[in-house]
Amino acid sequence: NGPMSDKVQWRMDTNFAGYADLISDVQIDTGVTSIASGAFREMDALTDIFIPDTVNSIENWAFYDSPIENLVVSQDNTAYVTDSEGVLYTSDMATLVYYPKTRQGAYKLPETVTQIGPSAFMDS
């Protein structure tokens, strides 16, 4: 419950590091209110993430260089939303938070976008 510690990174936990290339999906528990910077960074097998309604903050670099294909945000989440292409935005669609590196082809930003997060397009 509460905010995710910035120490929650597989690279900082020797017990977890051996599994980083084996984990393909993550379901963040209801009650977690933030996703720390680098929390799911460089997890080579990670393709699916579910973000519950309680997450109201996602730090830069949270998903950096992970091959996420399916990013699902709870319909009850008031802070974030994904579009039909799986691109993560703030709920008002003003800030592009994360663009999946596995997505291919042309993509047109919605006219509502006024800001792009610093790590939104890393390794895309």
Side-chain angles (χ1 to χ4, degrees):
N1 283 325
M4 185 182 286
S5 168
D6 63 356
K7 306 250 185 290
V8 178
Q9 293 185 28
W10 67 267
R11 296 175 304 139
M12 298 174 115
D13 184 338
T14 55
N15 295 316
F16 183 56
Y19 300 99
D21 293 340
L22 303 173
I23 297 171
S24 62
D25 68 76
V26 170
Q27 180 163 342
I28 300 167
D29 286 341
T30 298
V32 173
T33 58
S34 69
I35 300 174
S37 177
F40 304 108
R41 180 179 180 159
E42 299 170 341
M43 293 182 68
D44 293 335
L46 183 60
T47 57
D48 299 272
I49 293 184
F50 174 77
I51 299 173
D53 60 337
T54 54
V55 169
N56 58 30
S57 175
I58 299 174
E59 299 295 322
N60 293 321
W61 314 103
F63 310 119
Y64 172 72
D65 203 23
S66 291
I68 298 166
E69 297 172 2
N70 302 302
L71 181 62
V72 177
V73 177
S74 168
Q75 291 180 343
D76 296 326
N77 188 302
T78 59
Y80 296 98
V81 65
T82 52
D83 70 5
S84 62
E85 303 283 333
V87 179
L88 181 65
Y89 291 94
T90 52
S91 61
D92 59 3
M93 298 288 286
T95 303
L96 188 152
V97 177
Y98 175 73
Y99 183 90
K101 81 175 204 172
T102 57
R103 193 191 172 287
Q104 296 187 13
Y107 182 78
K108 183 177 179 181
L109 291 174
E111 292 181 12
T112 55
V113 174
T114 58
Q115 190 172 18
I116 296 174
S119 61
F121 286 105
M122 290 304 294
D123 286 333
S124 295

